[in-house]
Amino acid sequence: MNKFLALFASVMSTTAIAQETAVKQPEFWSPVVEHQIQRDIPQYLGYTDNAGLLMSTYDPNSVSSGYLGFLQSAEMISNLIFASIVAVAVLFAVFVLINGRAKLTEGFSGKLVQRWSVGDVVLHWCVAIPCIILILSGFVIGAGKVWLAPMMTPAHFHSLVYASVLFHNIFAIPFIIAAVILMVKWSKNQLPESCDGKWFLALGGYINIGGKAKHPDAGFANAGEKAFFWTFTIFGLALVATGLLLLFPGIFGTLSKNGALLALIIHICSAVILGAFSVVHIYMGAVMSEGGMENMLSGKCDENWAKQNHNLWYAKVQGQNK
């Protein structure tokens, strides 16, 4: 009996020590997230069929039901992501077909004005290229199960998701570095001006239906460009912060289950908003505004483009050159 009690006490003490040790252990969320991303997109439920990935301290009852409820709505999340990218692109394409492009009233002059430095052009593409890759890979990760999986075999979809996760994680780093530099460097030209309100009221002069509207006054950046810049800055920083938390949870200390879920929700919502704005930005620069794309290819713009779209800035440049 004494031996039995001693053995029982030994087992109980060992169990108590194990429980005490388990309580002190942090709740590592990253292995679960990684497992879910590779297994079931976009079911970000925080659960796994591999018990080895769950810490003994994990208590399902401690997780916010609101967070899980949002993330469990896989079809809703997929549709939001689809709408922010594909639907916005289609709607804007229809708008351009009906409204027409914003052509230069006096055509191209053939005279070029320096608008961006070589460094600014390079910086722009260091942000733009990773951003496009992140948008496309994010679409596969977040909306692929609903919108892409039915069109391919499970093996092909698995390979596509695996590659998308890999690309998403790799290109996140150069995007973060270049985006933060761009935000700081370009912010001085994106401050509000008195002419911005009138620009919005005139819708930038881009509406051709009912007669060509005159482009309102604008400085180096018009009100629409400023709106995109600050949207990019606010939600871009949200994506950067939450992305780093999800990629490297150990760097920022213990990341709780609720903390990881909240970071994921903010990441998704920010991506939806920024994705829609990015699609419009691409259309405006590459399609809608005649002569606009040249700005980010050579750093120069046609003189008539400058007069029509950024007349206050052009007048200032001309005054400095005299």
Side-chain angles (χ1 to χ4, degrees), residues 24-318:
K24 293 181 180 179
Q25 290 176 341
E27 296 179 3
F28 288 109
W29 168 244
S30 55
V32 181
V33 173
E34 182 180 358
H35 183 75
Q36 285 300 117
I37 285 178
Q38 293 177 357
R39 284 288 306 277
D40 193 12
I41 303 300
Q43 295 284 355
Y44 305 107
L45 303 182
Y47 299 108
T48 172
D49 53 12
N50 185 347
L53 292 177
L54 292 175
M55 299 297 293
S56 58
T57 56
Y58 170 60
D59 178 12
N61 295 323
S62 67
V63 177
S64 168
S65 59
Y67 294 168
L68 283 177
F70 176 84
L71 294 171
Q72 198 168 359
S73 305
E75 188 170 350
M76 179 197 72
I77 293 174
S78 297
N79 290 337
L80 284 174
I81 296 172
F82 179 87
S84 72
I85 300 172
V86 180
V88 170
V90 171
L91 288 174
F92 210 88
V94 172
F95 167 74
V96 173
L97 288 174
I98 296 173
N99 180 78
R101 299 178 68 197
K103 292 185 174 294
L104 295 178
T105 305
E106 299 180 9
F108 289 95
S109 67
K111 298 178 182 179
L112 298 179
V113 180
Q114 190 72 44
R115 181 164 169 80
W116 298 98
S117 67
V118 174
D120 283 324
V121 173
V122 172
L123 179 60
H124 170 268
W125 290 110
C126 285
V127 174
I129 294 174
C131 183
I132 292 172
I133 294 173
L134 291 173
I135 288 174
L136 295 177
S137 59
F139 177 83
V140 174
I141 296 169
K145 187 172 184 180
V146 172
W147 291 97
L148 299 177
M151 297 185 289
M152 58 184 72
T153 65
H156 287 154
F157 179 65
H158 177 272
S159 299
L160 178 62
V161 171
Y162 182 83
S164 296
V165 172
L166 185 64
F167 273 72
H168 204 78
N169 292 342
I170 291 174
F171 282 92
I173 304 304
F175 171 79
I176 289 171
I177 296 171
V180 171
I181 294 173
L182 183 146
M183 292 170 188
V184 174
K185 191 173 187 297
W186 289 11
S187 60
K188 64 180 182 295
N189 288 322
Q190 308 297 326
L191 300 176
E193 296 177 279
S194 59
C195 58
D196 291 340
K198 294 180 180 179
W199 191 96
F200 277 121
L201 289 174
L203 297 177
Y206 287 105
I207 306 301
N208 296 327
I209 301 172
K212 173 62 180 173
K214 181 182 181 298
H215 278 266
D217 293 338
F220 182 85
N222 61 44
E225 292 166 343
K226 292 174 185 177
F228 173 74
F229 175 84
W230 291 113
T231 300
F232 175 79
T233 299
I234 294 170
F235 292 101
L237 288 175
L239 284 170
V240 167
T242 54
L244 288 174
L245 276 173
L246 295 170
L247 274 175
F248 311 107
I251 296 178
F252 303 94
T254 303
L255 184 62
S256 67
K257 181 77 71 170
N258 276 334
L261 290 176
L262 179 59
L264 190 56
I265 291 172
I266 294 173
H267 199 79
I268 292 171
C269 293
S270 298
V272 167
I273 295 170
L274 195 54
F277 271 81
S278 296
V279 170
V280 174
H281 175 72
I282 292 170
Y283 260 108
M284 292 300 295
V287 180
M288 188 67 179
S289 179
E290 184 180 30
M293 188 64 180
E294 185 62 30
N295 282 269
M296 281 305 165
L297 293 178
S298 67
K300 299 177 181 179
C301 65
D302 189 86
E303 189 176 62
N304 286 344
W305 185 91
K307 291 179 182 178
Q308 182 169 307
N309 293 280
H310 299 273
N311 60 322
L312 300 181
W313 166 75
Y314 175 74
K316 184 178 180 180
V317 170
Q318 290 301 104

